[in-house]
Every structure is written in structure tokens, then in C-alpha cells.
Amino acid sequence: MTQAEFVVVANRLPVDKAGPGEGEDGWRRSPGGLVTALEPVMKETDGAWVGWPGQADLEVEPFDFDGTQLIPVALSADEIEKYYEGFSNDTIWPLYHDVIAAPRYRRVWWDSYVRVNRRFAEAAANAVKENGTVWVQDYQLQLVPKMLREMRPDLTIGYFHHIPFPAYGLYSQLPWRRLVLEGLLGADVIGFQRVADAGNFARAVRRLFRYETRAGRITVPGEDGTAHTALAKAFPISIAAETYMELAKKPEVQARAKEIREGLGNPKAILLGVDRLDYTKGIRHRLKAFGELLEDGRVTVDDVTLVQVASPSRERVEAYVQLRDEIELTVARINGDHDTFGHSAIRYLHQGYPREEMVALFLAADVMLVTALRDGMNLVAKEYVATRNDNRGVLVLSEFAGAADELGSALKVNPHDIDTLKDTIIQAIEMPEADQARRMRSMRKRVLEHDVKAWSDSFLAALDDARAAKERATR
């Protein structure tokens, strides 16, 4: 295996196992935003990517895909259950999302999390050249930075946290709170979505370790008496905005948007929600507000339709099974009470769609509803804005989504306040075109200037600064 100067470590590889007769040597590129964000960097650096290949007990040798060396880390079915579905998604995910659902703390899950993190760290340590750079991604791998530093002190290590980081009053519940912070503090640069998340992290470090923190720089003492500096800072992630703009210009995509409107009975206004089926996304609150608007007679099914795309998520985790049942029951009740032969109140779609279809949906929608109860960023909000080359459409955006820090011209809502959410939906439906255009132009300027390349460039620049500082210190 050839070692690389630059290595990404993520829970998943940037490819999926392809079906018979498709993909390069049985693999196809994953559609995720992280893959799009890092693809140019990987090609420029001849980098390597360490990750799980997506199936239990799948043993695969390292291989090249589209110019990037991929290094699979095998996981057993038991490890997927305990490390991924258990500790990552039934402990860390709900805890870091403000305990919207109750986290479960199980020692066997933690033990598996430690073992799997060590396996990822070992794979990365073997994959990277001397004095190279490793960039660790997200909450499934919070222990990897410290493990890597212990194995390879020559490395420059970055970590990016794609989800929120909670206030200390919540974080302190975690039985392994010190060990997780120590794991993250192994990095030279620790990136967060929002300034508030970086602040929560720094406060937790001060409370538990009394380390000196100044302007986001944390002095971390080593066991050998030396110290290193970790920078904890906000680097808000974004999207490949130009890709969405170009798709929105395609005649076939525009024709599909018109077809979608016709298929819904050409209502005066289409409301759209696009989410993973997750309790953090505020889908229940959105449905409740819309159902009450129908009950109150403030909207009718002839005039307004809500399209809710809820892509499947973590279907073996009990909280998600219950959530799906609850949402589908709510949709059925609202439609049963209000549907006519010609129009449906809610068109509910429990499936994922290719990007072209999503862009057509964005073009068809008059109002985009992003009502997350807590969200690291929410890239759907940015995708909607990038798609609207016509400067039409209204974004209703939860103040608890990271995107709210950047998209200041959206209509901001507290999704827990159902009455105000209802009023805001009506305001969005009735907004004059001139007001829509003014708000959309402002948001589009932000999304286009701060695209995904700007995000990766800013983080990698911080890593370069950290490497240069280390080199100066050893002269």
C-alpha cells in the first residue's frame, strides 16, 4: 500500500457497492456532500480515504477509485449494532442534539466505540506519509485524533464536527465525557458548524480540565511535559452551489418542475419539506402547523399542498421506527380530514431521490420549510437557495439550524412556537414577488461566495498554519 501525504478518515468510504454491471470495478461514487467537498482536494494531493465499505463483514483490500486510494475498514454486524447504531446514533446523536430524544448510555456500546475508533486510527496511521496530514470527519470518530497523535506525533491532524456540540449542562451527562474531549483535543484544528458550538466545546474543556483557552486556542499539556495548541473554531460547511445552479438551468429539469406542479393539481402554493426521517428535523411540528392551518380555514387543499420528502434513516433504531409510525399516522389523519378527489393536503414520500429530481422539486416549491429542532447546518436550505436562479421562493428557516447564522434574509422561526410558525407560513405564502427577490438575492450571494470549496480551503489553510507553527517550534 502506497502512503499518501493527505488522508481523510470518515465512517464511510466515498463509494457504495454497485449492483451487477454498474460502477467502476463493482463500486459507484456516493452522492453525499462530503464526497463532493473533498473530491478536488483528494485529486490534488493524490490522497487516501479510510472508511467502512458499507456492509457488515465485508473484507476488501485497499483499491484505487477515480484517482483516490480507498482503504476499507471492516466492521462486523455486532460492531455496526454497538459502535454505529448504538453509541454513535443512540448515545451521541440524541445527546448532541439537545436530548430531543433520550440518549442511552451502555458500557458495551462504549467499549465497541473505543475498539472501532482504534481500528480507524491504525488504518490512518499506516496510510499516511511522515509529516503528512490527516483529516478526521464527524462524531463517529471522536477518539481518533488522540489515538493518531499517540501513534504518529509527526502528523498534522484535523477534525471536523458536522453536528452540533451541546452546552455543558447536557454534555456533562455523558459518562465518558473526559475521554471524548481528550480524543478531540488530539487534533491541531477542531472545526465546528457554528461559533456557539466551538464555544460550547471550549467551555466544556475549561470546566473539566482547566486548560487555558484564548481566542479559540486551547493549550493541551502532553504526558511528556510538552504541550500542543488545538484551535477550536467555526468553519460552516456549504454546498457545491454552481452544480445546483447549472442543474436548475436545464430545460428538462425545468420541464419536470412544471410537471410536478401539474401532478399536484396546480395549487396556488406548494410548501416543501426535505429531510432525513429524523426526530431532530421538526417534521412533526411542521405537520402540526399545517394541519391547524387547514383546520382554521386559513388555507385550503385546493390552494396549498405540502410535499414532504422523508428519506429513510436508521431503520433499525427503535426511536426512528416509532417516529415513522407517528408521522405516517399524522399524515393519514390530515389527508383523511381534508383531501378532495382533486387535491391532497400532504404528498408524503418516504424515499430518497436523485439530485436532478430534488432540483426540480426545489423549482416547483414556492415555500421551503426547514423547521429543524436542532441541526448542525442543514444543507437543504442552501440547496434551495442555490437552485432559485429566478430569485423566487421563500425560505422558512429554524433559528436552531446552523444555516440560520448565514442566511439572514430567511423567515426565521422557533418551530416549538406553533402559532408563530403558522403565521410565518402564511407570510411566506403571501409574500410579494419583490420581497421574495430581495431576500433571495441576499441569500444567494452568501451561498455562492461561501460554497463548499471555500469551506474546505479555509479548514485546510488552518491545518497549514498549524503545521507551520509546529515546524517553527521544532527548529
Side-chain angles (χ1 to χ4, degrees):
M1 183 175 71
T2 305
Q3 289 185 315
E5 292 279 0
F6 180 77
V7 174
V8 167
V9 189
N11 177 62
R12 284 292 302 272
L13 288 174
V15 293
D16 297 317
K17 203 85 173 77
E22 64 175 359
E24 180 182 321
D25 298 323
W27 299 90
R28 62 170 179 264
R29 183 168 297 281
S30 301
L34 181 64
V35 177
T36 305
L38 297 181
E39 183 180 5
V41 183
M42 304 305 289
K43 288 185 174 177
E44 287 169 16
T45 59
D46 292 323
W49 189 305
V50 175
W52 172 49
Q55 296 179 17
D57 301 304
L58 182 60
E59 300 276 354
V60 183
E61 291 297 314
F63 63 98
D64 284 344
F65 184 92
D66 197 19
T68 297
Q69 186 179 20
L70 304 186
I71 302 166
V73 175
L75 297 178
S76 68
D78 182 70
E79 286 168 336
I80 293 166
E81 179 186 345
K82 292 174 181 171
Y83 143 78
Y84 182 69
E85 294 172 350
F87 193 79
S88 295
N89 290 320
D90 216 355
T91 301
I92 292 295
W93 180 269
L95 177 65
Y96 284 25
H97 285 86
D98 291 355
V99 195
I100 293 166
R104 294 200 291 164
Y105 304 114
R106 297 191 59 192
R107 287 169 289 179
V108 291
W109 291 354
W110 166 254
D111 292 342
S112 182
Y113 187 80
V114 173
R115 285 194 302 272
V116 171
N117 270 244
R118 186 164 298 282
R119 194 177 312 150
F120 275 86
E122 288 167 350
N126 292 331
V128 62
K129 289 182 178 179
E130 186 174 357
N131 298 318
T133 299
V134 178
W135 192 2
V136 184
Q137 304 290 333
D138 221 2
Y139 65 102
Q140 301 96 344
L141 302 172
Q142 293 175 97
L143 307 182
V144 168
K146 183 187 179 187
M147 293 173 173
L148 262 179
R149 181 169 289 277
E150 291 171 346
M151 295 174 193
R152 293 286 304 274
D154 58 297
L155 299 177
T156 301
I157 302 166
Y159 170 89
F160 188 76
H161 197 73
H162 292 257
I163 68 174
F165 195 90
Y168 182 75
L170 295 176
Y171 180 76
S172 61
Q173 294 181 23
L174 185 66
W176 308 279
R177 58 196 184 184
R178 293 177 67 94
L179 295 171
V180 169
L181 288 184
E182 286 173 352
L184 295 172
L185 288 168
D188 297 288
V189 180
I190 308 160
F192 297 92
Q193 299 280 28
R194 306 180 84 163
V195 172
D197 295 321
N200 286 342
F201 174 78
R203 280 186 286 275
V205 169
R206 286 198 298 271
R207 289 284 295 271
L208 288 172
F209 297 114
R210 307 295 183 193
Y211 293 165
E212 180 183 351
T213 63
R214 184 176 300 169
R217 298 188 180 279
I218 303 169
T219 304
V220 185
E223 294 178 2
D224 58 358
T226 61
H228 81 273
T229 299
L231 173 65
K233 182 182 172 184
F235 297 87
I237 199 169
S238 195
I239 61 168
E242 292 283 349
T243 300
Y244 284 88
M245 288 177 61
E246 292 306 313
L247 281 173
K249 293 175 184 175
K250 287 189 171 183
E252 61 269 30
V253 173
Q254 293 176 0
R256 176 61 185 142
K258 186 177 179 183
E259 190 178 282
I260 289 169
R261 290 194 74 96
E262 290 171 352
L264 294 169
N266 278 318
K268 292 180 181 176
I270 295 174
L271 314 181
L272 175 64
V274 176
D275 312 87
R276 275 190 316 103
L277 188 62
D278 192 289
Y279 48 76
T280 65
K281 301 298 183 182
I283 301 172
R284 288 175 290 199
H285 299 64
R286 187 181 311 160
L287 295 177
K288 182 175 179 60
F290 185 61
E292 288 189 11
L293 286 173
L294 289 166
E295 289 288 342
D296 299 344
R298 297 175 72 183
V299 299
T300 68
V301 290
D302 292 337
D303 290 340
V304 181
T305 297
L306 169 61
V307 177
Q308 177 61 58
V309 178
S311 57
S313 176
R314 300 169 190 161
E315 295 180 291
R316 301 201 318 177
V317 177
E318 182 60 28
Y320 289 78
V321 175
Q322 293 175 1
L323 176 68
R324 179 179 180 183
D325 289 345
E326 184 180 338
I327 285 175
E328 293 182 355
L329 182 61
T330 302
V331 169
R333 282 177 175 164
I334 293 172
N335 283 345
D337 288 343
H338 299 284
D339 279 9
T340 66
F341 286 112
H343 295 88
S344 271
I346 302 170
R347 185 66 60 87
Y348 172 76
L349 305 160
H350 181 58
Q351 51 200 286
Y353 291 93
R355 187 177 292 171
E356 287 80 2
E357 184 76 354
M358 293 312 305
V359 170
L361 261 174
F362 292 148
L363 288 175
D366 301 285
V367 178
M368 185 81 215
L369 299 177
V370 177
T371 56
L373 307 181
R374 192 76 166 92
D375 219 335
M377 176 53 62
N378 195 287
L379 295 180
V380 166
K382 294 186 175 184
E383 290 166 3
Y384 180 71
V385 167
T387 298
R388 300 309 301 235
N389 297 323
D390 57 357
N391 287 323
R392 293 286 304 279
V394 183
L395 175 62
V396 175
L397 179 59
S398 168
E399 63 192 62
F400 305 121
D405 286 2
E406 297 181 86
L407 304 179
S409 295
L411 295 182
K412 303 287 180 57
V413 292
N414 171 1
H416 298 282
D417 181 354
I418 300 297
D419 285 336
T420 302
L421 176 55
K422 289 160 60 179
D423 291 342
T424 305
I425 292 172
I426 295 297
Q427 181 187 353
I429 292 170
E430 297 176 348
M431 185 178 291
E433 288 185 17
D435 198 6
Q436 291 181 34
R438 177 182 60 79
R439 290 171 179 272
M440 192 59 74
R441 275 195 295 269
S442 171
M443 292 188 288
R444 284 173 59 76
K445 184 173 186 291
R446 172 70 190 187
V447 170
L448 293 175
E449 289 177 353
H450 296 267
D451 64 359
V452 73
K453 186 176 187 308
W455 168 74
S456 60
D457 286 350
S458 64
F459 194 97
L460 293 172
L463 279 178
D464 287 342
D465 290 344
R467 182 188 302 106
K470 286 202 295 189
E471 289 172 353
R472 288 193 297 271
T474 54
R475 282 176 192 159

